[in-house]
Amino acid sequence: MKIIGITGPTGAGKTTALGALTALGACIIDADAVYHRLLEESAPLREALVARFGDICDQVGRIDRKKLGEQVFTDPAALADLNGITHRFVGEAIDQLLAGAEASGCPAAAIDAIALIESGLGARCDAVVGVIAPAEVRVRRIMAREGIPEDYARKRVSAQKGENFFRENCDYVLENTEDDTPQSFGGRALVLFTEILDRE
């Protein structure tokens, strides 16, 4: 089973690219969804986070993401600690999902993760594809998709890694241009993924 890593900043078109992989029969693993499920369900993750960050639970004992966020987003050392803890748990859960996909006969699996490279998940992949788009295109997309004001969308975009990071660290880059429609971009993604999956 081939494993393709999909990464890139928010609003660049990863969802459209993943649609092309789904059409090719790939099993899609969303690292963000895995993380959120673990926050709800994993007692060992909760214990590790509380041991490092203290009182970050709500009244019923679940991790309060707002409380956690207040500690890590202004403190780079705390954010690095959070990533160190969560990447290990998320990586283990993704390994289990990959094993399940292979056992069920999936021809390919895709790991969708913004921090694919930094977390070490990219090392599990046969190919890493970065999906990028101009910042202005991403700002407009995020505003339309999430109904947020322009200044907040710009902050989100500027807080993420620039396209050079993805050009330097990915095996392939899919660029979603201002002139692209979802259909034209999805078509290019389909061609690229077909080529990757057909390689020995």
Side-chain angles (χ1 to χ4, degrees):
M1 180 181 76
K2 282 219 170 142
I3 302 169
I4 297 176
I6 304 290
T7 189
T10 186
K14 288 193 297 294
T15 303
T16 303
L18 290 164
L21 275 166
T22 302
L24 293 169
C27 159
I28 308 297
I29 297 170
D30 179 341
D32 210 32
V34 170
Y35 169 59
H36 290 137
R37 176 173 60 78
L38 290 173
L39 277 184
E40 293 289 321
E41 298 172 7
S42 169
L45 172 59
R46 194 161 47 244
E47 286 159 15
L49 291 173
V50 168
R52 166 59 182 86
F53 297 105
D55 177 22
I56 50 165
C57 292
D58 61 16
Q59 287 105 329
V60 292
R62 287 184 309 215
I63 298 292
D64 182 328
R65 284 165 51 198
K66 191 161 182 281
K67 277 187 187 173
L68 181 59
E70 282 165 2
Q71 286 201 45
V72 301
F73 290 132
T74 55
D75 182 346
L79 182 59
D81 288 349
L82 173 66
N83 288 337
I85 294 165
T86 57
H87 289 166
R88 177 166 56 89
F89 283 92
V90 170
E92 288 168 2
I94 285 176
D95 285 340
Q96 290 173 356
L97 292 169
L98 288 170
E102 187 153 31
S104 71
C106 268
I111 303 173
D112 168 21
I114 280 191
L116 184 87
I117 293 148
E118 307 93 305
S119 66
L121 287 169
R124 293 166 169 80
C125 302
D126 298 298
V128 172
V129 178
V131 180
I132 61 173
E136 287 303 313
V137 172
R138 290 166 49 215
V139 166
R140 288 201 303 274
R141 283 204 190 123
I142 298 166
M143 286 168 64
R145 183 179 71 200
E146 298 178 27
I148 58 175
E150 184 176 342
D151 61 333
Y152 186 58
R154 288 192 183 282
K155 274 185 193 151
R156 288 258 309 269
V157 165
S158 64
Q160 293 189 330
K161 292 203 162 32
E163 62 180 57
N164 283 345
F165 173 83
F166 299 104
R167 289 188 190 282
E168 287 162 13
N169 290 284
C170 297
D171 302 309
Y172 304 89
V173 168
L174 267 172
E175 191 159 2
N176 199 345
T177 70
E178 202 150 339
D179 300 325
D180 269 313
T181 62
Q183 292 75 19
S184 65
F185 179 66
R188 283 209 313 285
L190 192 64
V191 169
L192 175 63
F193 294 136
T194 302
E195 282 174 10
I196 292 170
L197 294 177
D198 284 348
R199 288 204 182 109
E200 285 306 315

